[in-house]
Amino acid sequence: MTDQALAPESDVPEGIPGKPTSASRTTLSHIMTHNDTNLLGTVHGGVIMKLVDDAAGAVAGRHSGGPAVTASMDEMAFLEPVRVGDLVHVKAQVNWTGRTSMEVGVRVLAERWNESAPATQVGSAYLVFAAVDADGKPRRVPPVLPETERDERRYQEAQIRRTHRLARRRAIMELREKRAAEGLDD
């Protein structure tokens, strides 16, 4: 699915009405327990990544109006450790859409479950989802309609990330083809 989701596509599908950014934005919240810890006693990064993927998947499904699968995760950044007893909020929204794919931006915040201090940003990520039909084939998605200056900035930044993902993929494929032509298959 990754190859299809990262393949070039036109920016705006014809004939599908757009959806505003707020139409699919969501927040998933979860209290971290001892079951979520790593060997250092903080919350395992994989637990946070699953919450990120869950929230982003819900947003992608809502925006596309049906199933959507994770094609890639970019730039997962862990900014602060998360501890047992933290209430984690995972906020996600569609930043950009192509013909069949969507970039979802995610912010991860944490606060103590029993304190009234403001939440702190502890992570962020960008994920690409591909909308699929019942047979697992790519299907078209509605264009996202940025509503605020922040949404417009996120849309523009997502286009830059997409350009970089495609260029990176192209460069890797060219290198592999060159090595294969030289008989250096890995």
Side-chain angles (χ1 to χ4, degrees), residues 1 5 52-58 60-61 68-72 100-104 127-131 141:
M1 183 52 60
V52 164
D53 192 44
D54 288 346
V69 296
T70 311
S72 70
T100 62
S101 66
M102 303 156 273
E103 183 194 91
V104 178
L127 295 88
V128 176
F129 279 79
V141 299

Side-chain angles (χ1 to χ4, degrees), residues 6 33 40 71 92 154:
L6 296 178
T33 69
L40 297 175
R154 288 176 176 163

Side-chain angles (χ1 to χ4, degrees), residues 55-57 59-60 92-96 102-106 125-129:
V59 167
Q93 76 171 47
V94 174
N95 290 334
W96 175 90
M102 303 156 273
E103 183 194 91
V104 178
V106 180
Y126 300 102
L127 295 88
V128 176
F129 279 79

Side-chain angles (χ1 to χ4, degrees), residues 52 89-92 105-109 121-125 150 154:
V52 164
H89 307 286
V90 183
K91 298 176 176 283
V106 180
R107 286 185 4 164
V108 183
L109 306 161
Q121 185 170 353
V122 296
S124 65
R150 179 180 282 180
R154 288 176 176 163

Side-chain angles (χ1 to χ4, degrees), residues 6 18 25 56 68 78 88 91-92 97 104 135 143 163:
L6 296 178
R25 189 178 290 140
F78 297 100
V88 172
K91 298 176 176 283
T97 53
V104 178
D135 296 323
T163 300

Side-chain angles (χ1 to χ4, degrees), residues 6-157:
L6 296 178
E9 54 182 300
S10 65
D11 281 352
V12 180
E14 294 180 23
I16 299 177
K19 285 186 178 180
T21 308
S22 61
S24 58
R25 189 178 290 140
T26 195
T27 300
L28 180 149
S29 297
H30 188 78
I31 295 176
M32 298 291 107
T33 69
H34 287 285
N35 293 334
D36 301 317
T37 60
N38 60 29
L39 296 175
L40 297 175
T42 56
V43 173
H44 194 287
V47 170
I48 301 299
M49 290 174 74
K50 182 177 182 337
L51 294 173
V52 164
D53 192 44
D54 288 346
V59 167
R62 282 176 157 184
H63 183 83
S64 68
V69 296
T70 311
S72 70
M73 178 184 271
D74 289 355
E75 301 177 35
M76 180 72 212
F78 297 100
L79 307 173
E80 298 284 336
V82 178
R83 301 172 296 159
V84 170
D86 281 353
L87 177 57
V88 172
H89 307 286
V90 183
K91 298 176 176 283
Q93 76 171 47
V94 174
N95 290 334
W96 175 90
T97 53
R99 196 172 55 81
T100 62
S101 66
M102 303 156 273
E103 183 194 91
V104 178
V106 180
R107 286 185 4 164
V108 183
L109 306 161
E111 61 182 308
R112 294 307 291 168
W113 71 273
N114 59 348
E115 297 176 8
S116 59
T120 302
Q121 185 170 353
V122 296
S124 65
Y126 300 102
L127 295 88
V128 176
F129 279 79
V132 294
D133 63 19
D135 296 323
K137 302 291 184 203
R139 62 181 176 80
R140 293 184 145 203
V141 299
V144 67
L145 305 174
E147 298 173 279
T148 66
E149 287 297 318
R150 179 180 282 180
D151 292 341
E152 184 60 38
R153 175 186 54 78
R154 288 176 176 163
Y155 184 89
Q156 292 170 349
E157 290 173 357

